[in-house]
Amino acid sequence: MNTFFSFLKSRNWMLWALILGVATGLIFGERVAFLQPIGNGFVKLMQITIFPYIVVSLIVGLGKFSPEQVKSILLKAATVMISLWCIGLAAIWCFALTLPQHDAGTFFSPALISPAASIDFAEHYIPANPFASLAQGNVPAIVIFCIALGSSLIANKRKTTVLDFLEVIGQGLTVISKKIIAIFPVGIFAMTASTAGTLSGEQLNNLQVYWVLVLCLGLYLMLVLMPMIVAAFTPIKYRDLILVMRNAWITAFSTGNVFIVLPVITEGIKEHLRKTNQADEQADHIAEVLVPIAYTFPSLGKLTTLMFVMFAAWLTGSPVGISDIPNVTLSAMLSYFANVHIAIPFLLDSLKIPADSYQLYLSMSVLSAKVVSPTTVIYIFSFVFLSIFYCRKQLHLKRLRSVYYLALLSVCLPIFMFASYTLNTHLAGNSKAADDIIANMVIAETVPAHVLNHVPKAYHSGELSLTNIDIIQKRNLIRIGYLVDNVPFSYFNQKNELVGFDISLAHRLADDLQVEVEFIPFKKHQLSEYLNKGYFDIAMSGLEINVVDLTKVRFSDHVLKLQLALLAKDHQLQRFTHKSDITNLSSVQFAHVEYGPILNKVTKQYPNIHFSELNNLKQYFTDSNNFDALVISAEAGFAWSMFYPEFGVIVPQEGSIKYPVGFAIAKRNLDLLSYINSWLDIQKANGKVHDAYNYWILGLGGQKKDTRWSLIDTYTRQPTQ
């Protein structure tokens, strides 16, 4: 027993806190969610010294160097950084090749029509107001300011007093950091337990291909590529490097935050050099200067999120080709100097990926941070160690160990790639195809319904043309007109049930009226005739509110505003990127079902653009070779692309047009119109329209949230009799 306790005492408490936290989360599940605020509190505690630390370490570190030393050190550090970038990017592109075959297609998202994110490098890197940069936490600007101030002190003969003062402050900050680190295992335990206890199976399954991809890449970078390069080129052994990085790695993994461990990294490097009798004043200064610089510049950890851009392109059926690699690489290196949340939308836009990809990234950011942050920690350690030994002229390959590690990391690359490809091929094979997802959607709350495939002869007499709420409630039936195959507003799912955005609202309306509902089909050109003859009471099927139909029927207040777009085969989309691309074509043929008034104006302005009206949307996919594209709403276009993944959606830049959709009612039925408008106001106010939009248009919230699984629930659950 004494031996056991001696073993525990000699081990790293952060590692034990991590293991215990995972175990606690798995055992107790959501019961330990209350620990999350404790973990967040420890993160904020760690941040107390960070900004002062960056300021002090950079100014003191640079100020103590001579001009010759600074020039030599920064040049060599830049060489090391660029070399690591090149090697790391090569590995990232290798892993991008492991994506399996995929049935593409995704739901619409407002991100599609959002303006492209522009990167303001001046705002991020020029400290116009250093105090504002400190207050806002703008790390790149702070680093630039400190480098400028530290460099200006290098040749100043009176710098000693200032540097001594700042060095004393730095020592005080180090003491504070060490005191906090001593109790930080409590924070590691709290964060890990709450995460492991509340992470749902849905989150793990969502984007599982990307998660496997980034995990295999991260493990290769963390455990193979970077540590083995350091072990091959420097006197540091692989095992020693892993041990010295351990505390910072565990903290970054648990918190998903690299910023708070910068002092831990610096002190770890200096402490290791002291233990191995390789420490000197210059090495300490290099560590103090390069650690914050490495954090500011794009790291290999940050660059692993480039894999998400590759994944998003693959997911939407437009994989990045070999010819795109130089462009994407250059754009990535420039954009990653800014924040990741600026870089990713910029890259997605530059690749013209028509999907809600950024929202997908955000949904996985908590999990992916568990790989990105520790990878960044190991990158900073590797970069600084390589730079220190390069400045000492101690980098060499004239050892058997060097050949061994370089050969090993080369062999491990195809092994990790094969593992990634095998796992993802299995996951992609087991996952639902895009069309299965939308074809299996159902209406959660329904009333007794009758779905007809024609207008009953009894309705042809015209006796039902005058309708109001009293009549509907008296006959215990509301009749709804719907368009067939108008995805995602009205269509038949795999169970042959009539579903969709408008159909779900029709069921809710019938429920509020406490009547049954009957659905009667119609074609777009029959709308006014069928309504005014009384074949149905209301038409609800994503109907465009336009000026021509306003003279024939009454429209409710708008339910949604949709974005006009083009749907075409994937290889044709680039022809319609900009409005000018379309107007400059000699002749172009577009199909459409609705939007007649809008398209007539386009034809008058641009005679080279021709439009052909179809009876229904499905007809386009049968005769798609006769047309260049289909004019459709972006919301509906994305839904159709899930059934036909070889098609994609694009909104031409500078050609954005929005239009309202609503319900149509016969002109004489003003009482019914008044009721519907008031009913819509209530549904919008209580969030029911918003919920329907999220489910049918965005594809969100389709599954009921289950209680998080835990061992204690499994053990205490009573067997079913």
Side-chain angles (χ1 to χ4, degrees), residues 108 113 487-489 561-564 633-639 693 697:
F108 167 80
I113 56 176
V487 184
F489 303 102
K561 287 184 179 179
L562 304 184
Q563 171 67 57
L564 210 59
S633 70
E635 291 79 357
F638 272 94
Y693 178 85
I697 309 298

Side-chain angles (χ1 to χ4, degrees), residues 602-650:
V602 173
T603 302
K604 291 178 181 178
Q605 189 173 0
Y606 303 103
N608 63 312
I609 302 177
H610 308 284
F611 297 98
S612 298
E613 186 172 358
L614 306 178
N615 290 326
N616 55 66
L617 291 170
K618 219 165 189 179
Q619 184 182 344
Y620 169 74
F621 298 98
T622 304
D623 302 330
S624 61
N625 292 330
N626 298 327
F627 306 101
D628 294 290
L630 171 70
V631 181
I632 192 173
S633 70
E635 291 79 357
F638 272 94
W640 279 105
S641 72
M642 297 177 76
F643 288 105
Y644 299 92
E646 68 272 22
F647 288 84
V649 181
I650 190 168

Side-chain angles (χ1 to χ4, degrees), residues 297-346:
F297 281 69
S299 68
L300 287 189
K302 190 184 289 187
L303 287 172
T304 58
T305 59
L306 178 61
M307 193 59 67
F308 178 81
V309 179
M310 305 300 104
F311 167 78
W314 168 83
L315 187 66
T316 54
S318 306
V320 176
I322 295 176
S323 60
D324 298 318
I325 290 177
N327 258 346
V328 175
T329 302
L330 181 60
S331 297
M333 292 310 301
L334 292 175
S335 59
Y336 274 103
F337 274 88
N339 189 283
V340 170
H341 297 292
I342 294 177
I344 288 180
F346 172 78

Side-chain angles (χ1 to χ4, degrees), residues 364-381:
M364 284 293 288
S365 59
V366 174
L367 280 176
S368 59
K370 302 296 183 183
V371 175
V372 173
S373 297
T375 304
T376 301
V377 165
I378 294 180
Y379 163 79
I380 295 175
F381 269 106

Side-chain angles (χ1 to χ4, degrees), residues 248-378:
W249 187 94
I250 291 171
T251 304
F253 173 81
S254 302
T255 63
N257 191 329
V258 179
F259 187 56
I260 65 174
V261 298
L262 295 184
V264 182
I265 295 174
T266 304
E267 292 305 314
I269 292 170
K270 290 156 67 172
E271 181 65 26
H272 177 74
L273 293 176
R274 281 194 291 271
K275 282 183 179 179
T276 56
N277 297 319
Q278 298 180 86
D280 57 33
E281 188 176 353
Q282 185 188 56
D284 288 351
H285 290 165
I286 291 174
E288 291 168 354
V289 172
L290 293 188
V291 168
I293 290 177
Y295 174 78
T296 303
F297 281 69
S299 68
L300 287 189
K302 190 184 289 187
L303 287 172
T304 58
T305 59
L306 178 61
M307 193 59 67
F308 178 81
V309 179
M310 305 300 104
F311 167 78
W314 168 83
L315 187 66
T316 54
S318 306
V320 176
I322 295 176
S323 60
D324 298 318
I325 290 177
N327 258 346
V328 175
T329 302
L330 181 60
S331 297
M333 292 310 301
L334 292 175
S335 59
Y336 274 103
F337 274 88
N339 189 283
V340 170
H341 297 292
I342 294 177
I344 288 180
F346 172 78
L347 289 170
L348 293 173
D349 179 73
S350 67
L351 288 170
K352 309 302 179 190
I353 298 174
D356 183 12
S357 300
Y358 182 57
Q359 274 79 0
L360 294 178
Y361 173 76
L362 291 178
S363 71
M364 284 293 288
S365 59
V366 174
L367 280 176
S368 59
K370 302 296 183 183
V371 175
V372 173
S373 297
T375 304
T376 301
V377 165
I378 294 180

Side-chain angles (χ1 to χ4, degrees), residues 411-463:
V411 171
C412 287
L413 177 61
I415 293 174
F416 276 79
M417 289 174 61
F418 178 76
S420 174
Y421 177 78
T422 303
L423 284 170
N424 278 333
T425 300
H426 174 73
L427 292 173
N430 289 340
S431 62
K432 285 186 177 181
D435 58 338
D436 284 341
I437 298 172
I438 191 168
N440 281 290
M441 296 178 76
V442 296
I443 297 173
E445 300 175 3
T446 62
V447 299
H450 314 280
V451 180
L452 307 182
N453 57 12
H454 64 282
V455 179
K457 288 185 178 180
Y459 295 174
H460 290 184
S461 63
E463 295 176 359

